[in-house]
Amino acid sequence: MSARAVGRARQSEVEGNSHRRSNQLNREQLHREYARLLRENEELRRRVAERDGQIAEREGQIAEREGQIAEREKQIADAEKQIADLERQLAGRKKNSTNSSKPPSSDGLAGEQRPRGRKRRSQRKPGGQPGHAGHHRPLVPSAEASAIVVLLPQQCGHCGGSLPQEPGQVTSTGDPRRHQVTEVPPVQAHITEYQFPNVVCGQCAKTTRAPLPEEIAGQFGPQLTALIAYCTVVCRLPRRLVEAMLADVLGTEISLGSTQKAWEEVSQAVAEPVRQLQEQLPREAVLNVDETGWRTNGGKRWIWALVAQQFVFYVVASTRGAEVLVSLLGAVYRGILCSDRWVVYLSYHSGRMQLCWAHLKRNILGIADFAQNPSARQFCRDALAILARLFRLWYRFRGDLRDRRGNPQPLDRRQLIEKSIPLQKKLFALAEAHLDDADREVRNMATALFTNFERLFTFLEHEGVEPTNNTVERALRTAVQWRKISFGNRSRNGEIATARLLTVTQSCKRQQRHVLDYLADAVRCHRRRTTAPSLLPPRP
């Protein structure tokens, strides 16, 4: 082998060794780099794991806080609901008969008393004012006086001379001064004893006794029987007080059971007149109707009152539903029904109606007392202003000139309708503008005014229709006072008797009849088995 070949071989060997050493160094570096990268990767994984743990911890904290927030929001919502309920309860306790549809009988110690009298103290002195027309008790005609006593002076008031003391011996001029004293004679029961001798017959020698007439079959006469019913129904005296009154005033001892029997007899005596009034109800052109609670042996009942032009009709029913109206007025009533906004009346009657403005005014006043936003208060002010102007027109139409500003003149019906048209338009626009009001009470009232608009102004066009339902509310007040004293009835017969006697007494008052005389006549007719005097209004 040549030297050159040997040199190349050695050089190639050296290069191979160098390359192996270089590859060996590169592997070591790669291992070290790989180890470093592994450490960095582990460090990064550790950091990522720590970050993930921190994120998970923070997410847990966030979820926990979100849960706490949700719980707090739920607590706040519950508290707001509780506050709203308490505010409604407080508002309900503050409501009375002046700012809601609650009856005056509910204004007791449980609620806030309604304001009475003037809000501002008047500067006028009590008593009659200058220019006030005096009132005095008129004298009855001398011919109607039970006795006339002539009082003569004993001596002259000028010269002192003696004057004759006999009316026929004196000389007088002009009309005498008249002074009357009204007195009640001593009250004493008039007892009539009826004797029935045993008369011996001259032919057969047997005895015969006259039968007991039916009109004197009882122990109490018609007048006393009627008086017991009068004290119970009209004076609203409990049975035991009637018993005590008869013993103290008349000296007549009577048992509690006898007062009840007398009361029931009067109820039977007036059954036919009451039935006639019930048959007359569907024929009436205008009826005011209302109802209130009643009790029978602790059970819930309702006493209904229907007021016609010449009579009042009562009935005690077990329901407050429309079936009572159907039984009294038929499936369809063709007259004008005046009532409040109780849903039964609105669903039963599809004809002409007059809704009570007094109820609407009290409801608006109640909204104004508890309104939370300016819009609601403005709605109430505008509605009350329209109502006040409308009623000023009504008073002028009736001739009751309560508004003395500008010396207003009375209105006829045509003028009443013409002057009320702008007010009707304003009320309609006001209701329409608040149909979507934020206040729920305002929204409900605006909806009621809007949907029942045609039922609010019937009184403007029809004779005998009043804008309020006060006439039937006054009729029910008597029943409410009786209920508070007697606590209702104990049987169905008691319910019927209550309705009959209330119907008769209130109808007599409406017709200006003497109640006690009518009841006594009814008892006399009942004992003679004849019909009691009718209470139907005379036909034109």
Side-chain angles (χ1 to χ4, degrees):
M1 180 180 294
S2 62
R4 181 178 295 178
V6 172
R8 284 197 298 269
R10 288 180 177 177
Q11 184 178 358
S12 174
E13 183 180 358
V14 170
E15 290 178 353
N17 292 334
S18 177
H19 181 69
R20 284 193 296 271
R21 287 195 298 269
S22 176
N23 288 339
Q24 187 176 0
L25 289 175
N26 288 338
R27 288 192 186 95
E28 293 177 356
Q29 291 176 353
L30 288 174
H31 283 296
R32 287 194 300 270
E33 184 67 19
Y34 178 72
R36 183 183 67 81
L37 291 175
L38 286 177
R39 288 193 300 270
E40 289 181 355
N41 190 24
E42 290 296 330
E43 180 66 19
L44 291 174
R45 288 179 180 275
R46 184 183 63 78
R47 291 180 180 180
V48 169
E50 290 179 356
R51 293 287 180 86
D52 291 341
Q54 293 175 356
I55 291 173
E57 183 179 359
R58 289 181 181 179
E59 288 179 348
Q61 294 175 354
I62 291 172
E64 182 180 358
R65 290 182 180 180
E66 288 178 350
Q68 293 176 354
I69 291 172
E71 182 67 23
R72 296 288 176 83
E73 289 178 348
K74 183 176 180 299
Q75 293 176 358
I76 292 173
D78 293 341
E80 289 178 346
K81 181 180 178 182
Q82 185 177 8
I83 291 171
D85 291 339
L86 292 174
E87 287 179 345
R88 282 194 295 269
Q89 293 177 17
L90 180 60
R93 294 179 68 87
K94 288 185 176 181
K95 286 185 177 181
N96 51 44
S97 60
T98 64
N99 57 13
S100 70
S101 295
K102 297 177 64 177
S105 60
S106 65
D107 293 339
L109 298 178
E112 184 176 345
Q113 290 291 302
R114 60 174 177 169
R116 302 177 184 272
R118 300 177 180 269
K119 293 183 179 180
R120 296 180 180 177
R121 186 176 181 84
S122 175
Q123 300 300 321
R124 298 186 303 177
K125 295 181 179 180
Q129 304 303 311
H132 172 70
H135 298 280
H136 61 279
R137 180 179 179 83
L139 298 175
V140 300
S142 299
E144 298 181 7
S146 302
I148 297 178
V149 179
V150 179
L151 300 178
L152 297 175
Q154 295 183 354
Q155 60 184 13
C156 177
H158 303 281
C159 66
S162 298
L163 299 176
Q165 296 299 300
E166 294 296 332
Q169 299 176 356
V170 300
T171 301
S172 62
T173 61
D175 295 331
R177 176 192 172 187
R178 300 171 62 204
H179 176 73
Q180 295 180 347
V181 177
T182 303
E183 176 62 296
V184 177
V187 180
Q188 185 177 1
H190 181 76
I191 300 176
T192 301
E193 179 179 339
Y194 296 89
Q195 297 184 355
F196 303 87
N198 297 316
V199 180
V200 179
C201 177
Q203 298 180 2
C204 64
K206 295 183 179 180
T207 60
T208 302
R209 187 169 55 200
L212 181 67
E214 292 184 354
E215 59 265 23
I216 62 171
Q219 295 181 341
F220 306 109
Q223 196 73 23
L224 180 56
T225 304
L227 179 63
I228 293 173
Y230 181 89
C231 292
T232 305
V233 181
V234 179
C235 303
R236 294 179 288 279
L237 294 179
R239 309 287 196 281
R240 294 194 181 278
L241 285 183
V242 174
E243 178 184 355
M245 185 270 294
L246 294 177
D248 295 339
V249 177
L250 298 180
T252 301
E253 299 291 338
I254 184 172
S255 66
L256 193 64
S258 296
T259 61
Q260 180 66 23
K261 288 182 179 179
W263 189 69
E264 293 175 353
E265 183 182 5
V266 178
S267 168
Q268 296 171 3
V270 299
E272 180 59 23
V274 172
R275 186 192 64 80
Q276 295 173 357
L277 293 181
Q278 181 175 351
E279 292 179 351
Q280 177 64 23
L281 281 175
R283 307 187 188 101
E284 289 295 309
V286 180
L287 282 177
N288 291 74
V289 60
D290 200 0
E291 81 294 326
T292 189
W294 194 258
R295 291 285 179 182
T296 298
N297 260 350
K300 187 65 175 178
R301 298 290 188 274
W302 299 93
I303 184 165
W304 294 67
L306 295 92
V307 178
Q309 184 178 5
Q310 293 293 329
F311 65 91
V312 184
F313 186 84
Y314 294 84
V315 64
V316 177
S318 59
T319 176
R320 199 186 179 191
E323 53 266 33
V324 179
L325 296 173
V326 173
S327 65
L328 296 176
L329 305 179
V332 177
Y333 174 60
R334 302 190 182 280
I336 299 175
L337 195 66
C338 307
S339 67
D340 53 27
R341 289 185 292 116
W342 173 235
V343 64
V344 169
Y345 305 124
L346 299 177
S347 61
Y348 164 75
H349 190 55
S350 58
R352 300 289 292 180
M353 291 189 68
Q354 174 59 56
L355 298 183
C356 179
W357 275 99
H359 282 77
L360 291 171
K361 180 180 179 181
R362 291 195 292 263
N363 294 146
I364 295 172
L365 288 173
I367 297 174
D369 289 342
F370 308 107
Q372 299 293 329
N373 57 71
S375 175
R377 289 190 289 268
Q378 186 63 45
F379 168 82
C380 295
R381 284 194 296 268
D382 293 342
L384 292 174
I386 295 173
L387 189 148
R389 293 179 60 186
L390 182 65
F391 269 75
R392 280 199 291 269
L393 294 178
W394 175 250
Y395 294 144
R396 290 177 59 185
F397 170 74
R398 293 198 320 179
D400 184 5
L401 305 180
R402 300 186 183 185
D403 186 3
R404 302 181 183 276
R405 293 174 294 181
N407 296 321
Q409 298 298 320
L411 302 175
D412 57 26
R413 189 167 292 277
R414 180 184 60 81
Q415 293 171 330
L416 173 66
I417 295 175
E418 289 179 354
K419 290 182 178 294
S420 67
I421 290 176
L423 300 178
Q424 296 183 44
K425 292 181 178 179
K426 287 184 178 180
L427 184 65
F428 186 83
L430 179 66
E432 188 177 21
H434 288 268
L435 290 176
D436 297 324
D437 196 277
D439 190 292
R440 181 172 61 90
E441 297 292 337
V442 173
R443 187 168 62 251
N444 292 341
M445 177 56 63
T447 303
L449 294 174
F450 188 82
T451 55
N452 298 304
F453 187 78
E454 293 183 355
R455 297 173 174 177
L456 298 176
F457 301 99
T458 307
F459 73 99
L460 296 173
E461 301 176 356
H462 295 272
E463 189 70 29
V465 181
E466 294 285 330
T468 67
N469 212 28
N470 290 343
T471 176
V472 69
E473 290 183 353
R474 288 194 296 268
L476 278 179
R477 189 171 302 153
T478 300
V480 171
Q481 292 170 343
W482 193 4
R483 179 193 67 198
K484 287 182 173 292
I485 295 171
S486 65
F487 304 104
N489 302 116
R490 292 189 176 182
S491 64
R492 178 56 186 165
N493 290 334
E495 295 175 354
I496 296 174
T498 296
R500 286 175 179 172
L501 295 177
L502 282 173
T503 297
V504 169
T505 55
Q506 295 303 310
S507 296
C508 285
K509 289 184 177 181
R510 197 165 184 83
Q511 299 175 13
Q512 296 183 350
R513 290 191 181 188
H514 196 280
V515 179
L516 184 58
D517 288 349
Y518 180 86
L519 294 177
D521 290 342
V523 174
R524 292 189 189 96
C525 294
H526 176 67
R527 293 181 178 180
R528 295 169 184 167
R529 299 187 181 278
T530 59
T531 303
S534 176
L535 288 172
L536 288 174
R539 294 182 179 180

